Amino acid sequence: MPTAIAVTGPDLVLPSPDRHTPSAAVLQSAVQSPRTYSLDQSLTEMHTLIEHHGYVIVLCPASAPPAVVHRLHAIRSVLESDRIAILRPDLPPLGMAVLALQLRQLSICDFSPGVLASAARLLSHYIYAGALLGSVAKLDRVPVTLQSHAKSWVPGAQFAVLATPRPELVKLTGEASLSGPGFGTKMLYAPGQLAPDWVTGTLAPAWRTQGVTEARLPAESARWWATPKLVEFAAAIPDISVLYQLVTSVRRDDCHWCGLELIGDRCGFCAAPLPPPPERSSPSPAVRALPRGAT
């Protein structure tokens, strides 16, 4: 069985693009209240996933409530399992759903659990995630200037915001645009309380996306973007063969702590950093032969 990809909400599970891509496991321990879903039930849920899949990679949004994060770590601690990776990429919710889909696609490839978990950081750099917002007055996840704050109080003002891979914010005008990817992508968009016309009719063509598909707005989106007046979007590599080549192009190492394979500079399961390469010792001075007759 492939490594299980688990998420903390049902709206982080995008439809599978083909019959080979497995779905993600929605953790009830994160969805339901501790009052209705006990710790024992949470432990059983995670233990079952480990028994069936061997390893579990959990994607938890950075905006998730602290109680959810604490419970996940409590489950890992009580089970004393090194087969659970808890990842919290700093992606907006729709971008997180896209990352989960990419990991689901790669889980059926010949990657070890350690490589798959550490690949999440690599893939995050190739996801262009942002939103069309009706206000940036309370936005604190992307740098906002005082001038933009002031403009957000103007009735009807809208802003195009890119959160990853490089933060960017522009006031929406006729010529407004965001820096797009230099590679082929497919765009997903999820409307909130704004019309998606600019995203689908202006941004997607400017980015030369290979397709545009509507998705359900994640429940975390309004909290992440600090307003319900939004249209969230995410453009990412849809082709599994390209994703596979991207991951295989990175050198693999063994984690010095848990022994799993990894790519990059940090293990996805135990979070141990990759030790720096040993410093080269200075070469020893050449030993000269003593001249004849010397003692």
Side-chain angles (χ1 to χ4, degrees):
M1 293 292 290
T3 299
I5 307 301
V7 293
T8 55
D11 43 16
L12 297 180
V13 184
L14 296 173
S16 299
D18 52 59
R19 60 187 181 87
H20 304 292
T21 301
S23 185
V26 180
L27 296 179
Q28 296 305 306
S29 58
V31 175
Q32 300 190 33
S33 168
R35 296 180 180 179
T36 58
Y37 202 78
S38 67
L39 180 59
D40 286 342
Q41 290 174 296
S42 301
L43 295 173
T44 300
E45 176 186 41
M46 185 64 73
H47 179 72
T48 301
L49 285 174
I50 295 174
E51 286 291 307
H52 287 175
H53 297 271
Y55 290 84
V56 180
I57 298 174
V58 181
L59 291 177
C60 178
S63 58
V68 172
V69 182
H70 294 160
R71 172 156 283 213
L72 290 174
H73 284 282
I75 292 170
R76 192 178 192 277
S77 179
V78 172
L79 290 177
E80 296 182 344
S81 176
D82 57 359
R83 297 189 174 192
I84 305 171
I86 302 174
L87 308 181
R88 305 195 68 196
D90 196 15
L91 286 167
L94 189 59
M96 182 73 79
V98 170
L99 176 61
L101 175 59
Q102 292 181 333
L103 292 179
R104 288 159 50 197
Q105 290 178 285
L106 293 175
S107 69
I108 61 176
C109 299
D110 56 352
F111 293 124
S112 65
V115 169
L116 190 61
S118 52
R121 295 183 65 195
L122 171 67
L123 299 177
S124 296
H125 294 293
Y126 293 88
I127 297 176
Y128 280 66
L132 174 66
L133 303 178
S135 172
V136 293
K138 298 181 180 179
L139 183 63
D140 60 359
R141 296 188 180 276
V142 176
V144 181
T145 64
L146 290 176
Q147 185 179 15
S148 296
H149 269 297
K151 290 181 178 179
S152 69
W153 294 102
V154 178
Q158 294 184 352
F159 299 84
V161 184
L162 190 65
T164 61
R166 294 174 299 276
E168 190 175 342
L169 185 152
V170 296
K171 186 177 184 297
L172 201 62
T173 61
E175 300 179 355
S177 184
L178 294 171
S179 302
F183 48 88
T185 61
K186 179 179 179 180
M187 177 180 285
L188 290 177
Y189 71 96
Q193 296 181 10
L194 290 181
D197 298 354
W198 181 83
V199 174
T200 59
T202 301
L203 184 64
W207 284 6
R208 298 180 180 178
T209 58
Q210 299 171 358
V212 181
T213 303
E214 183 175 351
R216 178 173 55 178
L217 185 70
E220 285 288 320
S221 296
R223 176 161 49 188
W224 204 97
W225 294 104
T227 178
K229 297 180 179 180
L230 80 159
V231 179
E232 192 170 8
F233 56 83
I237 300 171
D239 193 337
I240 186 174
S241 63
V242 178
L243 296 173
Y244 182 87
Q245 292 175 8
L246 186 61
V247 176
T248 53
S249 67
V250 183
R251 191 188 73 180
R252 302 186 190 187
D253 294 284
D254 292 330
C255 177
H256 70 96
W257 184 258
C258 68
L260 291 176
E261 276 189 314
L262 60 88
I263 61 173
D265 59 0
R266 186 173 298 276
C267 178
F269 278 84
C270 70
L274 187 69
E279 296 182 2
R280 295 182 179 180
S281 56
S282 56
S284 303
V287 179
R288 297 181 178 178
L290 292 175
R292 291 183 180 180
T295 55

